C-alpha cells in the first residue's frame, strides 16, 4: 500500500525527516540477513561474505551466483521462517477467525496477525522484473516479516492499549535509559485509532469521550522494535503494525517503517520501548501436555480452547503485568484555601512516565525491608528510584468535562462480497 508513504501518512510515520527509506532500512536489512542465517548460508554454499559485499548504502535483494543464476536473498530470508509461519497460520485457523473489527483480541491472536504479514508468494523466488517501487515493497515485506518471526512477542492488555499509544513524549534521560529485552520485540494490542496518536490534548479528550470512533478508519495494532547488542534501543528505524481498509472495504494489516522522533509515529515507538524497558511482563504461559502428537489437529484444538492457549502459550507471548484499579465513585473535593474560585470542569491528563519514583525494596516473602519515605528510608537499602508509568488520569472526576464538539461513531458499512475477515 504505497499511499501510506505519501502526504499525511509520511508525516505521521516520518515527521519532517527524509525517512528511513535508504541507508537506515538497508542497515536493518543487512542485520536481518545475518541474524536469520542467510549470510552464513551464502558463505557456506557460494563462498560469499555478506559483510564484504559492496552494498553499504543500497538494498540488495538478489545476488549473481557463480553459475550465472540469481540468488533471491529476500525469498531466502522469508524461507528461514517458513516452518514457523505455517505452524502459526495453522493454529490461527483452528483457534478462530480474527474479529471483523479487530476488537476483542486475545494474546493467541498474535499468531494470526503475524502470519498474515507474509503470503505464500513471499517464499518463492522472484524474477525482479518489476519497478523500483515494487522491489522496495518486497524488501520491506521480507525485512519486517522475517524480523517479526525473530522477535519475542509481547501483549499489551486492552485497558492499557489506548494509553500506551498516546503516552506523553519521553524526556531525554528516559530515552537514554531504554533497554529492550530481546534483539527484536513485537508488541501487539487491540486497535487504537491512528488519529489518537497524533491528537493534541483537546482532540484526545474528544476521542476518549467518543469511545475511540474506530469504524473503518486506520488503526495501530502494535510495533516492531530492534535493540543493539548491548540492549539499548536501536533507533535506526522501527515498524508500526497498522490496519487499514481500501475503497472496497478490504482490510490489510502491515508493518510500516517509521522513524523515531517527536512526530506521532515516532512517539508511539518510544512509548512501546518504554513499556518494554521499564514495565513488568509475565512469563509466557506453559503449554498444556501435548501427549505424543504435539502437531495433531486435535492437540492444537485442545490447546486453543485452554486458558494457556488463549493467553499465547503457543506463541510464547509475554503479557504486560497490569491489574486495573477498582472503579470507585468520584468524591467531591473542597476548594483549597486561597483558590481563585470553584472549578467548573474536569480534565484528562494523558499517560506518562514519571522518573525518580521511590519503590520499596521487598524480601523474598514480599515484605518491605523498611520505610520508603519516612525516617530511616535509605536509598539502595529500603527503596530504589525507578521510572513509574501513570496511565491516563481523569483530573477532578467529580466534575463534568468541558463541552466539546460531538464526535459520532460512524455506522458500520456492509461488508462487500468476497472481502476478507
Amino acid at each position: 500500500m504505497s499511499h501510506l508513504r505519501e502526504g499525511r501518512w509520511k508525516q505521521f510515520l516520518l515527521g519532517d525527516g527524509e525517512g528511513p527509506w535508504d541507508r537506515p532500512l538497508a542497515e536493518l536489512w543487512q542485520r536481518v540477513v545475518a541474524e536469520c542465517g542467510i549470510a552464513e548460508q551464502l558463505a557456506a554454499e557460494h563462498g560469499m561474505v555478506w559483510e564484504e559485499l559492496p552494498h553499504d548504502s543500497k538494498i540488495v535483494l538478489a545476488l549473481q551466483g557463480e553459475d550465472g543464476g540469481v540468488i533471491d536473498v529476500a525469498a531466502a530470508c522469508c524461507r528461514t521462517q517458513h516452518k514457523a509461519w505455517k505452524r502459526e497460520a495453522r493454529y490461527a485457523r483452528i483457534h478462530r477467525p480474527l474479529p471483523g473489527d479487530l476488537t476483542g483480541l486475545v494474546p493467541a491472536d498474535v499468531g494470526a496477525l503475524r502470519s498474515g504479514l507474509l503470503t505464500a508468494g513471499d517464499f518463492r523466488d522472484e524474477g525482479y522484473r518489476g519497478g523500483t517501487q515494487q522491489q522496495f515493497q518486497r524488501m520491506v515485506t521480507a525485512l519486517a516479516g522475517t524480523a517479526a518471526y525473530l522477535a519475542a512477542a509481547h501483549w499489551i492488555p486492552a485497558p492499557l492499549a489506548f494509553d500506551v499509544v498516546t503516552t506523553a513524549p519521553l524526556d531525554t534521560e528516559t530515552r537514554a535509559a531504554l533497554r529492550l529485552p530481546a534483539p527484536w520485540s513485537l508488541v501487539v494490542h487491540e486497535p487504537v485509532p491512528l488519529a489518537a496518536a497524533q491528537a493534541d490534548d483537546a482532540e484526545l479528550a474528544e476521542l476518549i469521550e467518543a469511545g475511540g470512533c474506530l469504524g473503518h478508519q486506520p488503526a495501530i495494532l502494535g510495533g516492531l522494535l530492534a535493540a543493539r547488542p548491548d540492549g539499548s534501543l536501536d533507533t535506526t528505524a522501527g515498524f508500526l503494525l497498522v490496519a487499514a481498509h481500501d475503497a472496497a472495504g478490504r482490510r490489510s494489516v502491515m508493518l510500516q517503517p517509521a522513524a523515531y522522533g517527536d512526530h506521532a509515529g515516532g512517539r508511539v515507538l518510544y512509548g512501546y520501548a518504554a513499556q518494554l524497558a521499564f514495565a513488568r511482563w509475565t512469563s509466557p504461559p506453559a503449554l498444556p501436555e501435548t501427549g505424543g502428537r504435539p502437531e495433531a489437529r486435535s492437540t492444537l484444538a485442545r490447546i486453543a480452547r485452554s486458558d494457556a492457549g488463549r493467553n499465547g502459550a503457543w506463541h510464547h507471548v509475554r503479557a504486560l503485568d497490569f491489574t486495573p484499579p477498582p472503579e470507585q465513585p468520584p468524591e467531591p473535593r473542597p476548594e483549597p484555601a486561597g483558590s481563585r474560585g470553584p472549578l467548573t470542569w474536569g480534565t484528562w491528563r494523558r499517560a506518562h512516565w514519571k522518573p525518580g519514583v521511590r519503590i520499596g525494596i521487598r524480601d523474598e516473602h514480599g515484605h518491605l525491608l523498611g520505610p520508603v519515605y519516612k525516617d530511616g528510608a535509605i536509598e539502595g537499602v529500603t527503596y530504589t528510584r525507578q521510572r513509574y508509568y501513570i496511565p491516563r488520569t481523569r483530573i477532578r472526576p467529580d466534575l463534568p468535562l468541558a463541552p466539546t464538539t460531538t464526535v459520532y461513531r460512524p455506522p458500520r458499512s456492509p461488508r462487500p462480497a468476497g472481502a476478507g475477515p
Side-chain angles (χ1 to χ4, degrees):
M1 299 184 65
S2 60
H3 67 280
L4 291 181
R5 294 192 296 277
E6 299 173 359
R8 63 188 183 92
W9 287 98
K10 182 176 181 181
Q11 176 66 30
F12 177 86
L13 294 168
L14 308 177
D16 296 326
E18 295 181 359
W21 306 126
D22 299 313
R23 183 178 291 273
L25 281 188
E27 291 179 13
L28 291 183
W29 175 238
Q30 293 180 51
R31 173 178 169 176
V32 165
V33 170
E35 292 180 3
C36 74
I38 289 303
E40 183 178 350
Q41 180 179 324
L42 288 172
E45 297 180 0
H46 304 281
M48 296 181 178
V49 180
W50 179 255
E51 293 78 7
E52 296 179 358
L53 295 175
H55 56 137
D56 289 340
S57 61
K58 63 178 182 293
I59 297 164
V60 173
L61 302 183
L63 296 168
Q64 189 76 34
E66 293 179 346
D67 58 357
V70 174
I71 303 169
D72 191 327
V73 181
C77 279
C78 292
R79 284 196 291 267
T80 63
Q81 310 305 316
H82 189 238
K83 182 178 180 180
W85 175 77
K86 289 182 67 175
R87 290 177 77 249
E88 280 200 336
R90 183 166 181 257
Y91 183 92
R93 291 192 296 270
I94 295 172
H95 177 234
R96 66 167 185 171
L98 285 174
D101 58 1
L102 294 178
T103 58
L105 296 177
V106 297
D109 292 321
V110 167
L113 291 170
R114 182 159 55 182
S115 62
L117 299 174
L118 296 170
T119 67
D122 296 322
F123 301 96
R124 295 192 291 266
D125 290 346
E126 172 67 53
Y128 292 101
R129 291 182 294 272
T132 302
Q133 185 59 51
Q134 180 180 341
Q135 294 181 23
F136 175 82
Q137 188 56 50
R138 177 172 171 79
M139 187 280 300
V140 172
T141 299
L143 165 57
T146 303
Y149 275 98
L150 296 174
H154 294 75
W155 173 259
I156 294 178
L160 269 186
F162 195 93
D163 288 355
V164 171
V165 169
T166 59
T167 294
L170 307 182
D171 59 80
T172 302
E173 291 76 13
T174 298
R175 288 186 181 186
L178 294 171
R179 296 295 183 272
L180 270 54
W184 292 92
S185 297
L186 178 66
V187 178
V188 180
H189 52 71
E190 281 207 345
V192 175
L194 208 70
Q198 54 190 350
D200 60 23
D201 290 347
E203 294 166 338
L204 187 63
E206 291 186 20
L207 283 170
I208 293 170
E209 294 306 304
C213 292
L214 267 176
H216 274 185
Q217 66 177 290
I220 300 175
L221 295 167
L224 178 65
L225 294 79
R228 297 188 179 97
D230 64 356
S232 61
L233 178 65
D234 186 345
T235 57
T236 302
F239 296 86
L240 290 177
L241 187 62
V242 177
H245 290 77
D246 62 16
R250 291 184 294 265
R251 183 185 67 216
S252 297
V253 177
M254 70 219 82
L255 281 166
Q256 283 290 315
Y260 286 87
D262 294 323
H263 57 285
R267 291 195 301 270
V268 177
L269 287 174
Y270 273 123
Y272 292 146
Q275 294 294 333
L276 291 167
F278 307 126
R280 292 181 300 178
W281 297 82
T282 63
S283 299
L287 272 173
E289 180 59 43
T290 58
R293 302 178 62 200
E295 300 289 334
R297 182 179 179 85
S298 59
T299 302
L300 297 183
R302 180 164 53 83
I303 293 173
R305 290 192 301 268
S306 68
D307 289 340
R310 285 190 294 273
N311 289 329
W314 185 256
H315 315 287
H316 307 291
V317 178
R318 300 177 66 197
L320 189 62
D321 189 358
F322 170 72
T323 301
E327 293 188 6
Q328 297 178 354
E331 297 181 1
R333 295 169 51 187
E335 291 299 320
S339 67
R340 297 181 179 179
L343 293 176
T344 306
W345 311 111
T347 57
W348 282 105
R349 176 181 295 164
R350 68 172 64 223
H352 62 282
W353 284 92
K354 184 176 181 179
V357 176
R358 293 190 182 194
I359 305 295
I361 299 175
R362 299 177 182 270
D363 60 20
E364 65 273 15
H365 304 294
H367 301 138
L368 288 171
L369 296 180
V372 179
Y373 286 98
K374 299 179 180 179
D375 292 342
I378 304 173
E379 187 168 358
V381 177
T382 64
Y383 72 91
T384 61
R385 293 185 184 273
Q386 299 178 17
R387 290 172 175 82
Y388 188 76
Y389 187 66
I390 301 177
R392 170 171 38 103
T393 306
R394 175 78 177 269
I395 307 300
R396 293 301 304 268
D398 56 309
L399 298 176
L401 293 172
T404 58
T405 302
T406 303
V407 181
Y408 294 99
R409 184 182 299 275
R412 292 187 181 276
S413 303
R415 182 172 298 166

